[in-house]
Amino acid sequence: DTEVTQTPKHLVMGMTNKKSLKCEQHMGHRAMYWYKQKAKKPPELMFVYSYEKLSINESVPSRFSPECPNSSLLNLHLHALQPEDSALYLCASSLVRSINTGELFFGEGSRLTVL
Amino acid sequence: AQSVTQPDIHITVSEGASLELRCNYSYGATPYLFWYVQSPGQGLQLLLKYFSGDTLVQGIKGFEAEFKRSQSSFNLRKPSVHWSDAAEYFCAVGGSSGGGADGLTFGKGTHLIIQP
C-alpha cells in the first residue's frame, strides 16, 4: 500500500462551521505533513509531525488545528475560517523527517471552499 | 536561503515532440533536487530525485533530469511527450543537512500544455 488517503475530497463550509480534514497512510511512515495550495501556486507547508509530535508550525493561524492521533492518522480541524482559506489542502508523508531518506508521498487533497 | 526558479510559467509542446523544463536553484551546500508532477485536481507525484552520484537521473514515465552544478540547473527532459503528460510540474530543492520536508522549497511551477 503506497497511498495517502484524504477525506473528504471536497468540503464547503460557512465561516462559523467546525469541520475536519482527515489523512491516513499505512506505509509505516513516521513523518506527516499538511500543505496548503492556492490555485496556480506551489504547495505551502503548514505543519509537520514527526513520530506523532508536532515539529513545525509555519505560523499558521489558530483557526487551523492539527492533530496526530497515531502514526497512521493526521487530522486538520477547521473552525471560524475565512473565505481566503479556500484552497486545496494536501497531506503528505515520508519515512522519517529527513530529506535524504526518500520522497514525499502526497494524497490527492481536500478541496475546501469557505463561503 | 535556498530558492528555486522555474523561468517558464507555461510551455506548449506538440504530442510526440521532445520536452525540456528548466529549473535553476540557489543553495549554499550540496542540494537535494526533486521534480514533482501534479495533474489537475490531484496531489503531487515524485518523478525523480537527485542526491549524489550520476548527474543524469532517470525517473518514472520516461522522464530524466540532468544536474549541472556549474549552471545551478536541474532541467527535466522527455524525448517524446504524450497527451497524458499535460500537468503542472514543480521543481524543488532540499538541504543535504536534513531538516525534513520543512526544508523543501518548491518553484512556482511550469504548466505543460500538449497540442495534438
Side-chain angles (χ1 to χ4, degrees), chain A residues 11-51:
Chain A
L11 178 64
V12 179
M13 59 187 290
M15 289 190 284
T16 58
N17 292 157
K18 281 186 181 181
K19 297 285 185 185
S20 296
L21 306 180
K22 297 184 185 303
C23 175
E24 190 168 3
Q25 57 86 17
H26 296 287
M27 295 178 279
H29 289 178
R30 303 311 300 270
M32 296 186 77
Y33 313 83
W34 279 115
Y35 283 85
K36 174 183 178 179
Q37 187 180 25
K38 301 285 273 186
K40 302 190 185 301
K41 298 286 187 186
E44 298 175 0
L45 185 67
M46 300 175 72
F47 301 105
V48 180
Y49 273 84
S50 179
Y51 290 88

Side-chain angles (χ1 to χ4, degrees), chain B residues 83-98:
Chain B
W83 64 267
S84 60
D85 293 324
E88 193 79 19
Y89 290 79
F90 293 99
C91 181
V93 62
S96 57
S97 58

Side-chain angles (χ1 to χ4, degrees), chain A residues 33 35 37 40-43 45 48 56 88 90 97-100 102-104 106-108 111, chain B residues 32 34 36 38 41-44 46 49 51 90 94-95 98-102 104 106-108:
Chain A
Y33 313 83
Y35 283 85
Q37 187 180 25
K40 302 190 185 301
K41 298 286 187 186
L45 185 67
V48 180
I56 296 286
L88 182 68
L90 293 164
R97 187 190 159 213
S98 172
I99 200 70
N100 56 359
E103 64 194 84
L104 289 180
F106 281 86
E108 293 189 350
R111 185 160 301 282
Chain B
Y32 286 6
F34 306 82
Y36 282 87
Q38 186 177 30
Q42 302 290 309
L44 280 73
L46 182 70
K49 61 191 177 193
F51 289 166
F90 293 99
D102 42 291
L104 199 62
F106 286 93
K108 292 186 185 300

